[in-house]
Amino acid sequence: MESTINHSLTPKVTPKLTVATTIFTVMSKLAADCGAINLSQGFPDFQADPALFEATLRAMREGRNQYPPMIGMPELRAAIADKVASLYGVRYDADQEITVTAGATQAIFTAIAAFVRSGDEVIVFAPYYDSYVPSIDTVGGRAVYAQLEFPDYKPDWNKVHALITPRTRMIIINSPNNPSGSLLDSGDLEALAGLTRGTDIVVLSDEVYEHIVFDGARHASVATHAELAARSIVVSSFGKTYHITGWKIGYVLGAAELMREFRKLHQFNVFSVNTPCQIGIANYMRDASRHLGLAAFYQNKRDFFRAQLQGSRFELLPCRGTYFQLARYDAISDLPDLEFAQWMTREVGVAVIPVSVFYQDGRDDRVVRFCFAKQEATLMAAGEKLRRV
Ligand SMILES: Cc1ncc(COP(=O)(O)O)c(C=O)c1O
């Protein structure tokens, strides 16, 4: 006989966080319920390269299925060190300065937990990726908000300067930026280096879209800036780079002193990450064309999607990187963006993300985010619907 949980016996819990289900889950579910084309959550609807699966399966068949070293498989850390050296001209020590993580989200949480103490302040640029602030809250830190200024989503470093106090422990940056598609450039890195000089501020640089930059731009990794690299944890994600968001594997780079602290938390947070997937990726990434080709691959998708929206009433904002396209909809509706996104999903049949959810105060510029990491057929079908709005 089956029984069910007796809820009257469950202890009372005081919620640690006051957060709702993320908008990504909400919109993906609504899209599925309404049969809408899902351009909301950021994941590809196309298959990854079978060569990656074969490399991973080979590792499984060779019996490489037990716990890997806590910091990551040596062959994967070596491949990451080589890739970073060749792209950014700096060699991180594979044993002391690179750690493989269970995706970028875990890396971000672990970095925040490693460096932020109760009462510490963390500067976050709005609009921001949704895991940053709950992670800061969980460890008792306080998010302090700077702005990427609408509509070009660039930071104003003078305003950031004014936010720095003796309690500032960390600054989180994200370029290429989700949701805005904007990029930081070498001038921004210089400004950030100037602001943090002589302080103990740790920079957490979320660079998960590092390979997805368009129109000939170069990704300005903090790794390229010697002074910043020394105080930074750099986060990347294989999910974004190899179309495997469900594998949840990424890595962090950081100076040995910072990495030691990071690993203390990592050790008891996840301990280690899927062995055969690490080996599969290590073999696969040795062919640099696989990450170097990503920018052109997604630039084609961006251009294809933008062409689909030609003649629609959406006003497209610039998209310099990532696989997200922002659009203003003033010419279509004066609904708040949350309601507009729901209406789009239910009535138009295309699910989008309202950009106000990326702001702590719900700032609403009447902008929605489309994900164009989709097959051309999906983008074409969406385009047909969107041109009719
Ligand atoms: C800016 C940013 N950081 C981190 C992540 C999380 O990456 P992962 O799936 O590797 O945890 C995402 C995923 O959408 C993201 O957009």
Side-chain angles (χ1 to χ4, degrees), residues 18 45 49 60 64 88 155 211-212 216 261 281 294 300 305 324 361 367:
T18 46
D45 72 344
D49 186 348
M60 288 179 179
R64 307 189 69 184
Y88 305 129
H211 302 299
I212 312 178
E261 287 309 305
I281 292 171
L294 203 63
N300 281 337
F305 182 58
F324 300 113
D361 55 1
V367 176

Side-chain angles (χ1 to χ4, degrees), residues 42 102-106 108 129 131-132 174 176-178 206-209 235-240 245 248-250 323-324 369:
T105 310
Q106 181 247 316
I108 291 161
Y129 180 63
S131 84
Y132 303 157
N174 168 221
N177 181 259
N178 174 12
D206 179 347
E207 303 186 12
V208 297
Y209 300 102
V235 179
S236 191
S237 169
F238 294 117
K240 312 293 179 189
T245 58
K248 297 298 291 183
I249 299 192
Y323 45 54
F324 300 113
R369 189 196 79 174

Side-chain angles (χ1 to χ4, degrees), residues 44 76 106 115 148 150 156 179 182 190 214 244 275 308 340 389:
L76 181 54
Q106 181 247 316
F115 299 108
L148 296 175
F150 180 76
D156 177 334
S182 66
E190 206 44 58
F214 305 136
I244 47 166
T275 303
Q308 291 300 312
F340 182 73
V389 181

